[in-house]
Amino acid sequence: MPTLSHQTIKDLYKNKEYAHAYMEEFLNSYIATQIKVLRESQQWTQEELGKAADMHQERIAVLENVNYSSWKIGTLQKLARAFDLTLNVSF
């Protein structure tokens, strides 16, 4: 598998469309992974997190999928409350 040189990576980030797409995918993966790690740190099943967040287990499974991309602030707030955390969103 070929590797990208440092210069090639810098050139890719000059393309705004590529950079935005990359960061959106990274963010989706990051949020989904945080949810799963937080759930597992509580030793909760998806069903237990669902009950704590007033959601169905199937919804939790979707939110833990790194390919999910339809995040809503209200949903993230419910999860934050379930974990007894504060949601922090920034630019």
Side-chain angles (χ1 to χ4, degrees), residues 38-54:
L38 286 167
R39 176 179 62 77
E40 289 176 345
S41 74
Q42 296 292 320
Q43 298 181 331
W44 286 347
T45 64
Q46 289 179 342
E47 186 173 346
E48 289 169 323
L49 174 55
K51 286 179 184 175
D54 194 29

Side-chain angles (χ1 to χ4, degrees), residues 4-14:
L4 295 174
S5 71
H6 180 67
Q7 187 59 44
T8 303
I9 293 170
K10 282 177 65 174
D11 290 341
L12 286 172
Y13 277 102
K14 288 179 183 176

Side-chain angles (χ1 to χ4, degrees), residues 1-39:
M1 177 176 218
T3 59
L4 295 174
S5 71
H6 180 67
Q7 187 59 44
T8 303
I9 293 170
K10 282 177 65 174
D11 290 341
L12 286 172
Y13 277 102
K14 288 179 183 176
N15 178 323
K16 284 188 178 189
E17 189 173 319
Y18 174 86
H20 288 288
Y22 176 85
M23 289 310 301
E24 287 168 11
E25 283 189 40
F26 176 82
L27 179 62
N28 292 333
S29 177
Y30 183 71
I31 294 171
T33 301
Q34 280 188 19
I35 294 167
K36 184 174 182 176
V37 167
L38 286 167
R39 176 179 62 77

Side-chain angles (χ1 to χ4, degrees), residues 46 56-66:
Q46 289 179 342
H56 294 284
Q57 176 273 323
E58 295 83 1
R59 183 73 178 131
I60 300 301
V62 168
L63 296 171
E64 288 184 356
N65 182 328
V66 296

